[in-house]
Amino acid sequence: MTQPPGPYPPGPPPYAQIPPKRSKGPLLIVAGLILFLVVLIVTGLVLFLGNRGEDKPIGHESTPPARTKPSDPKAVEFRRVLTSKPGHCATPSPAGTACDDRGNLYTLGKVELDGSNVSEVKAGFDPAQGTSWYVNLNLDPEGTKLFGELTASIAKQEPPANLLAIVVHGEVAAAPAVQSAITGGQVQISGGYTRDTAEALAKKITG
């Protein structure tokens, strides 16, 4: 390499000057901050999706649990049967009466307890009786006391006054015969039910 013509200022020749090295410290700091932010964003996204998957799996809808208590407690009534006439249900039913889904008309006494005294309703199966299904009602302490007194009185009556009507929204859902006082707070409604009919009765009571 030849030296261009002069004159030249004091010091090293221009072509021999080496530019000062710039510090890479600021660039490294900026790059590190960007990388840190990217890692934070990606980690946050992964955690968010992970929590979402735990709460509700993507592509799967949660099934609500079956109701075990009456949704409208005052709509479920326990009443004495005073008279019963098969196939003579008028529309609308006269005051103090109610019909079942087969058209039978029942004359009823006052409401002795209602769905607010029922703590659980469920259909069940008794293997000792072959294919017999039933509906079981659990009562709270107040309901246990009232039901014990009611069934003790009804069990002494002659048909049809020995029937206890379970009325739901103005319709007789069931009218089982009472054979003895039920004082333990557990009421079993049975009588030729299949799985479908027992579950349908439980669902009707719970709403």
Side-chain angles (χ1 to χ4, degrees), residues 25-147:
L27 293 177
L28 292 176
I29 292 174
V30 172
L33 288 175
I34 293 175
L35 181 60
F36 179 70
L37 290 174
V38 171
V39 170
L40 280 180
I41 293 172
V42 172
T43 304
L45 182 60
V46 170
L47 289 176
F48 174 76
L49 292 177
N51 289 334
R52 181 181 176 183
E54 291 174 3
D55 293 339
K56 184 177 180 181
I58 299 175
H60 293 82
E61 296 184 359
S62 60
T63 302
R67 186 181 297 278
T68 58
K69 297 177 65 174
S71 59
D72 186 358
K74 296 299 181 183
V76 180
E77 303 171 342
F78 296 84
R79 305 172 67 172
R80 299 169 185 261
V81 173
L82 304 179
T83 64
S84 174
K85 295 181 180 179
H88 291 83
C89 187
T91 304
S93 301
T97 67
C99 301
D100 61 16
D101 57 3
R102 292 172 292 181
N104 298 319
L105 177 66
Y106 297 86
T107 304
L108 305 173
K110 66 179 182 178
V111 179
E112 311 257 359
L113 64 155
D114 59 31
S116 63
N117 300 118
V118 179
S119 57
E120 185 181 40
V121 181
K122 63 180 179 181
F125 174 72
D126 186 357
Q129 299 184 24
T131 59
S132 180
W133 280 79
Y134 60 86
V135 174
N136 193 77
L137 309 180
N138 288 338
L139 306 175
D140 64 11
E142 180 186 10
T144 298
K145 178 178 179 295
L146 294 173
F147 200 81

